[in-house]
Amino acid sequence: MDRRVDGAGARVNRLPRWLLVALAIGPTLGLLIFYAWPLGRLIDEAVTATAITDTLGRTSTWKVVWFTTWQAVVSTAVTIAVGLAPAYVLARFDFRGRSVLIGLVTAMFVLPTVVMGAALLALLPDSLDRTVWAVIGAHVVFNLAVVVRVVGSLWEHLPTDMEAAAATLGASRWKVASQISLPLVRPAVGAAATIVFLFTF
């Protein structure tokens, strides 16, 4: 074993490189056999230059691409806007039922999409049934947990000293939020937005 000393003087055990390579062989082979090879075969048999040209030449293809892109951008923006409030509350406050609320938010994400879609359709009024607003609403409900978990986990570990000091000096809640809190969680917001955009796209 390669034993090194960290900054505090404690010994740190590190796995030998040959063992890391050996441990990586199994997952790599599984990925190649069960994912890369079938995907390659599918592309080889189904995708031709003519098929690509015909698909890209259709107006309907670009309509689908445009719809997919703009609804993903709107879904991401709305999900971030809606998700910041529960992320803040769950990160900064300790209250009875907090763990239950976290569990409910997470359950919406881990439930099968068919179940969530059916539940949303049952709750929506007929006027919104199968409209773009239903799609965006479903995306917001489904991906709310991503924002709460990603942003909330960073918010929970940030010190409150700067926010308290700014409030003591007379800063309004909006100034504290926009100039102190949100800049501190901006990396987590960006990460959450990227994940949500990929899911909704």
Side-chain angles (χ1 to χ4, degrees):
M1 283 291 181
D2 180 14
R3 297 178 67 84
R4 299 183 184 178
V5 178
D6 65 6
R11 289 181 175 265
V12 179
N13 291 330
R14 298 189 184 275
L15 292 174
R17 289 192 181 185
W18 65 267
L19 183 56
L20 289 174
V21 172
L23 291 173
I25 288 175
T28 304
L29 284 175
L31 193 63
L32 289 173
I33 294 170
F34 297 109
Y35 181 76
W37 182 72
L39 181 62
R41 292 286 298 158
L42 180 66
I43 291 173
D44 182 53
E45 293 183 11
V47 179
T48 62
T50 306
I52 293 172
T53 305
D54 290 345
T55 302
L56 294 179
R58 292 180 195 146
T59 308
S60 58
T61 300
W62 296 108
K63 286 182 179 178
V64 170
V65 170
W66 168 242
F67 173 80
T68 303
T69 304
W70 80 257
Q71 68 77 24
V73 170
V74 172
S75 296
T76 302
V78 175
T79 305
I80 294 295
V82 171
L84 285 178
Y88 176 79
V89 170
L90 291 171
R92 290 298 195 197
F93 297 97
D94 190 16
F95 53 91
R96 184 174 294 179
R98 179 176 176 272
S99 58
V100 174
L101 185 58
I102 293 174
L104 288 173
V105 171
T106 307
M108 292 190 295
F109 182 74
V110 299
L111 281 173
T113 51
V114 175
V115 174
M116 287 299 300
L120 195 66
L121 282 175
L123 294 173
L124 282 175
D126 293 338
S127 59
L128 293 177
D129 193 5
R130 290 176 173 79
T131 63
V132 65
W133 308 114
V135 173
I136 293 171
H139 284 163
V140 171
V141 171
F142 189 75
N143 292 296
L144 190 64
V146 175
V147 180
V148 171
R149 302 293 286 193
V150 173
V151 178
S153 61
L154 175 61
W155 226 330
E156 192 173 3
H157 293 92
L158 289 176
T160 58
D161 300 349
M162 287 187 290
E163 296 173 354
T168 303
L169 292 171
S172 64
R173 289 185 179 181
W174 170 248
K175 272 196 171 181
V176 171
S178 61
Q179 297 183 13
I180 296 174
S181 302
L182 289 178
L184 289 173
V185 296
R186 189 177 293 144
V189 172
T194 302
I195 296 169
V196 171
F197 180 81
L198 290 174
F199 282 143
T200 55
F201 188 84

